[in-house]
Amino acid sequence: MKLGLAIDLDTCVGCHACAVACKEWNGKSLMGGAPDYDPYGSAPSGTWYNRIRQYELDGDPSFTPQGCGSTHQPLSKTINVPMSCMHCEEAHCVTVCPTGASYKRAEDGIVLVDPDRCMGCNYCSWACPYGARELDADQGVMKKCTLCVDRIYDQQLPESERQPACVLACPTHARHFGDYDDPASKVSQLAAARGRQDMLGDLGYKPVNAYLSPRKPAQVEAVALRQGLSDKAKAFVNRLISL
Amino acid sequence: MKPAFSVIFFTVMSGAGLGLMVWLLVATMMSAHIRMPNVTFINGVIIAAAFIVVGLCSSTLHLANRKNVIYSLTQFRTSWLSREGVFALALFPIAGLYLWLRSAAAPTVVVHGLALVLIALAIIILFCTGMIYGCLKTIPRWNSWLTPTKYVLFGLMSGALLFVAILSTRSAEIGPLGRPWVAIVLLAAGLLVYLGYLLKHPRKQHTINDALGLKQGQVRLLDVGHTHGTFLTNEFGFQLAREKARLLRWLSIALGFVLPLVLLFFSNTPPFAPVVACLIGLFVERWLFFAEAEHVVRLYHGQQHV
């Protein structure tokens, strides 16, 4: 199995519900602990397994109401990008770890940290290009997204809830969870249909999570206004008034 | 990258200590050219050991969970950090065995053989330290063969300066070469490698577009998603003012390389002056090594190029 998330960059509204749900679940879970530091003070900070950032992609400068020639986005677009562990196939964070605390599970590909071995050297966080690892300063060990490994296999939960907390919480269904090894799974189908963003692919980490590419908005054909005699007269009067 | 004092101190001190050890051992094997009193050798060994041990202890200061440090010797197969730890710890029993055999007047072949093993081990440790940084693809500034070269060369260089200083404390018979040529040549080579590293610098390899996979147009950060600092901004967000960086770069070149070179070559100043200058210069160089390195995660925080 190759478990991972598919995140739709078109439908994510950047509400941070996934990050809050993650905090809610992992803050108390057996695997976790995600402490806050000075949460109500002047310098609030904390350990988060998931962070959401908002970007703006410029529009095509050659855009006119008649359309634009390129494959470019016609107008500028806001894109929200939630980022957590990608559970990379080539997880360099695991190979650099000197203690063996970081490991990638053979059975489902989830990358985890064993808090009983981690010595808090931060080296794995240096090796991660995506900023997925954050130190828990209270315990002195590295923390990261566990893909809610303590939810997805929990037989006590109804089957519909055996998903990561962030996926369940997402109000716009921008997050999906599944097995990328199964070509029939929802995430595989989505990634194949929509295409995945190539995020620092040249570093060779092969992220498993897919960021579904924003769709190009459908081109609307512009219709030239038909101007009658009265329209021309009105325009003429308007011009006179504004003199 | 955040310049962590414990790691800067560790790499400079252990580097010099390992370098000193290498030259002490080389000198014992070249007794035809350098005849140093046994007291000088013992003093040198004590100073080298002190530098290495103080450095290694300092390297554990930045660990957030020191009780698990013993596990760091387990991942020898994949992790350069683990390799460094294993080799550094292996150094002590082998050095102890060497000193015992030497004092017990064991056959020269055995003593010299063990000296060669120790020299190789010292260079391997320096190389491992360099590879800890050099192997990271996420930090393009470090991801180059120049990084391990720098660590090995600067260790041998500062060690050679220390060796010259220690040799001068007692009259030793030095061969026909009037000047400490090894130190001079290493300083010149070190200067060349350092200048190469600095000049190679500004090749920006990754853009914010690569980071998000959005190649269509200009991308800029609208909202970073946190109200105050995070672990990531603290660890990777270090900003160095350009003027300050330039000043420190020249300071490290002048103190670490040029001044010791001039002092050794042209004057008969006390040989401890070049060592002090060189170590201060290397501290500045090592601080800059961290402060100037940029991690690709800065792209997600809105930086356009790394």
Side-chain angles (χ1 to χ4, degrees):
Chain A
M1 277 201 297
K2 198 159 85 184
L3 296 181
L5 300 172
I7 296 163
D8 191 334
L9 293 183
D10 257 348
T11 45
C12 175
V13 291
C15 68
H16 292 241
C18 51
V20 174
C22 169
K23 245 337 215 196
E24 174 70 15
W25 178 257
N26 287 299
K28 310 182 245 193
S29 76
L30 285 174
M31 294 297 298
D36 282 325
Y37 318 115
D38 194 19
Y40 307 109
S42 58
S45 184
T47 303
W48 294 72
Y49 303 175
N50 183 15
R51 290 187 183 274
I52 296 91
R53 303 187 188 92
Q54 192 177 58
Y55 302 90
E56 182 187 59
L57 174 62
D58 252 7
D60 186 345
S62 68
F63 173 77
T64 64
Q66 274 70 46
C68 57
S70 65
T71 56
H72 210 114
Q73 213 64 42
L75 295 169
S76 71
K77 182 178 169 68
T78 302
I79 296 175
N80 301 294
V81 184
M83 287 188 72
S84 53
C85 176
M86 305 274 219
H87 300 281
C88 299
E89 289 183 61
E90 300 292 333
H92 204 37
C93 55
V94 171
T95 52
V96 302
C97 174
T99 64
S102 279
Y103 60 103
K104 185 171 171 68
R105 307 202 328 167
E107 63 268 36
D108 53 17
I110 300 180
V111 177
L112 291 174
V113 180
D114 178 355
D116 294 329
R117 280 180 84 94
C118 176
M119 65 175 186
C121 69
N122 292 350
Y123 193 27
C124 56
S125 73
W126 292 13
C128 174
Y130 307 110
R133 288 167 170 260
E134 298 192 15
L135 190 80
D136 174 341
D138 287 356
Q139 292 180 29
V141 298
M142 195 52 72
K143 291 293 169 66
K144 64 179 291 303
C145 161
T146 65
L147 213 59
C148 284
V149 69
D150 49 352
R151 286 191 66 89
I152 58 178
Y153 294 114
D154 188 348
Q155 303 292 318
Q156 311 270 338
L157 292 173
E159 205 174 331
S160 62
E161 284 187 25
R162 288 178 212 158
Q163 295 193 63
C166 57
V167 173
L168 292 170
C170 180
T172 61
H173 301 289
R175 301 174 77 89
H176 308 271
F177 164 71
D179 176 12
Y180 281 99
D181 262 353
D182 173 10
S185 72
K186 188 171 64 178
V187 287
S188 296
Q189 303 263 318
L190 278 168
R194 293 276 304 280
R196 44 164 76 214
Q197 293 295 98
D198 173 22
M199 292 160 88
L200 294 176
D202 53 338
L203 295 184
Y205 282 61
K206 295 191 193 153
V208 169
N209 284 6
Y211 285 85
L212 306 177
S213 303
R215 299 177 187 87
K216 198 186 168 212
Q219 199 92 327
V220 179
E221 210 165 313
V223 181
L225 279 174
R226 216 155 44 105
Q227 285 197 322
L229 193 60
S230 65
D231 295 314
K232 283 180 179 164
K234 273 183 202 159
F236 177 70
V237 172
N238 281 342
R239 282 233 304 281
L240 274 183
I241 291 166
S242 64
L243 270 177
Chain B
M1 303 293 291
K2 183 180 72 183
F5 180 75
S6 64
V7 178
I8 295 169
F9 187 77
F10 154 60
T11 53
V12 174
M13 295 301 278
S14 286
L18 290 165
L20 172 60
M21 197 190 86
V22 166
W23 297 117
L24 282 169
L25 292 167
V26 169
T28 60
M29 289 195 291
M30 294 176 61
S31 51
H33 301 284
I34 302 175
R35 208 177 293 275
M36 63 175 165
N38 202 39
V39 188
T40 310
F41 178 78
I42 298 298
N43 286 344
V45 168
I46 291 169
I47 292 172
F51 270 60
I52 297 169
V53 170
V54 166
L56 284 177
C57 291
S58 143
S59 75
T60 63
L61 287 180
H62 79 287
L63 301 180
N65 195 21
R66 240 163 290 158
K67 70 178 188 320
N68 283 344
V69 74
I70 190 70
Y71 293 117
S72 69
L73 304 175
T74 59
Q75 304 302 306
F76 186 84
R77 239 164 31 84
T78 58
S79 170
W80 285 104
L81 185 49
S82 191
R83 285 171 200 164
E84 186 206 37
V86 170
F87 284 125
L89 283 191
L91 188 72
F92 293 96
I94 298 176
L97 181 66
Y98 170 81
L99 289 175
W100 178 67
L101 285 176
R102 193 181 132 91
S103 63
T108 318
V109 185
V110 179
V111 175
H112 282 185
L114 215 49
L116 284 175
V117 171
L118 282 171
I119 290 171
L121 203 53
I123 292 171
I124 289 170
I125 294 168
L126 289 170
F127 180 75
C128 288
T129 310
M131 282 309 288
I132 290 174
Y133 308 106
C135 77
L136 293 172
K137 281 184 249 175
T138 47
I139 303 167
R141 187 82 164 81
W142 290 351
N143 192 230
S144 135
W145 60 272
L146 280 168
T147 302
T149 311
K150 244 167 56 129
Y151 274 82
V152 174
L153 193 56
F154 293 1
L156 293 178
M157 181 187 88
S158 51
L161 283 173
L162 259 178
F163 176 65
V164 171
I166 287 164
L167 209 58
S168 72
T169 54
R170 278 165 198 274
S171 60
E173 282 176 41
I174 303 178
L177 301 170
R179 290 184 192 288
W181 284 107
V182 170
I184 290 172
V185 167
L186 282 172
L187 277 167
L191 180 61
L192 284 181
V193 168
Y194 187 38
L195 289 178
Y197 179 82
L198 291 177
L199 291 174
K200 187 182 164 284
H201 172 39
R203 250 183 60 224
K204 301 281 188 185
Q205 294 178 351
H206 305 281
T207 64
I208 191 170
N209 301 73
D210 301 332
L212 294 161
L214 297 167
K215 309 285 168 106
Q216 303 95 313
Q218 176 105 37
V219 173
R220 68 188 176 95
L221 179 75
L222 289 183
D223 183 60
V224 76
H226 55 79
T227 48
H228 197 261
T230 70
F231 170 79
L232 299 172
T233 58
N234 180 42
E235 196 73 9
F236 307 114
F238 189 84
Q239 286 285 4
L240 181 62
R242 206 172 301 173
E243 279 305 305
K244 193 176 163 197
R246 206 213 308 253
L247 182 74
L248 288 174
R249 249 179 255 148
W250 282 111
L251 192 69
S252 64
I253 292 172
L255 282 181
F257 304 90
V258 178
L259 185 62
L261 201 58
V262 171
L263 286 178
L264 281 187
F265 200 81
F266 289 112
S267 75
N268 291 320
T269 47
F272 278 96
V275 181
V276 174
C278 178
L279 286 181
I280 295 174
L282 286 185
F283 271 111
V284 177
E285 179 272 328
R286 211 52 49 90
W287 189 87
L288 278 173
F289 176 76
F290 288 95
E292 287 194 292
E294 291 184 328
H295 192 283
V296 291
V297 81
R298 293 167 76 109
L299 299 170
Y300 295 105
H301 290 79
Q303 190 165 310
Q304 289 290 329
H305 301 272
V306 162

